[in-house]
Amino acid sequence: MQRRNFIRHLISLTLIPPFLQPRLAHAAWPSEHFAGGDFASRFEQLFGGQTIIDSPEINITLPDIAENGAVVPITIDSELERIERLYIWVEKNPTPLAAEFELSPEIAVFLTARIKMAESCNVVVIARQGQRLLRNQQWVKVMQGGCGTG
């Protein structure tokens, strides 16, 4: 969060006229989604009452064993159409929601990222397709925690 504020201030201090500054840097940050807490309560807060369908059509590629939890590579892909949003949850992280992506429904999903993991747990991917929520998850054993917790 501090890095984002630093970048905002840095941009505002430059000589670029305000009408030329990138608007995406000022996009709304869903801070309530990325608040700390336990996985169950944060998950319930975001998806409470909605039906979530387990779907093997959301493909997750993660290592079975991650030696360094600070940089765990993840790849998500799917042939499903009209995926509008992806959520990556790490069950035992201090901030369980690791990432949230808003996608154009016209594109095929193929996403690669690096996430931090505090300890061994499931990584849960939720895809929003219209009104449907689809889930897939995979267990990752972490040898050295990457969130400063162990």
Side-chain angles (χ1 to χ4, degrees):
M1 189 68 174
Q2 291 178 341
R3 184 178 353 166
R4 183 178 298 263
N5 288 333
F6 173 76
I7 292 171
R8 282 184 185 157
H9 291 296
L10 185 63
I11 290 172
S12 67
L13 293 176
T14 63
L15 298 176
I16 300 172
F19 64 90
L20 292 178
Q21 293 181 4
R23 294 287 175 217
L24 292 178
H26 300 284
W29 173 253
S31 59
E32 66 278 358
H33 294 180
F34 292 95
D38 68 298
F39 171 75
S41 65
R42 290 290 161 209
F43 196 83
E44 178 69 20
Q45 184 181 24
L46 194 58
F47 302 118
Q50 299 180 54
T51 302
I52 300 175
I53 303 165
D54 288 328
S55 173
E57 295 177 89
I58 305 294
N59 302 314
I60 307 171
T61 305
L62 282 162
D64 293 332
I65 299 172
E67 291 190 27
N68 184 357
V71 285
V72 179
I74 181 172
T75 300
I76 303 165
D77 67 284
S78 178
E79 296 296 323
L80 294 173
E81 295 180 354
R82 295 188 308 258
I83 300 290
E84 301 166 351
R85 193 170 286 263
L86 285 175
Y87 303 90
I88 301 173
W89 294 84
V90 182
E91 286 182 340
K92 294 188 178 177
N93 273 5
T95 305
L97 181 59
E100 180 178 340
F101 299 94
E102 186 173 336
L103 306 171
S104 171
E106 290 86 26
I107 64 169
V109 174
F110 186 87
L111 181 107
T112 298
R114 305 255 190 247
I115 58 174
K116 289 186 176 186
M117 296 184 67
E119 57 186 284
S120 301
C121 65
N122 278 316
V123 174
V124 181
V125 174
I126 303 289
R128 179 176 295 279
Q129 182 188 40
Q131 297 300 314
R132 294 184 347 152
L133 292 174
L134 307 170
R135 170 182 44 209
N136 199 354
Q137 64 185 20
Q138 183 177 332
W139 177 266
V140 178
K141 181 174 182 169
V142 175
M143 303 305 287
Q144 179 182 6
C147 295
T149 57

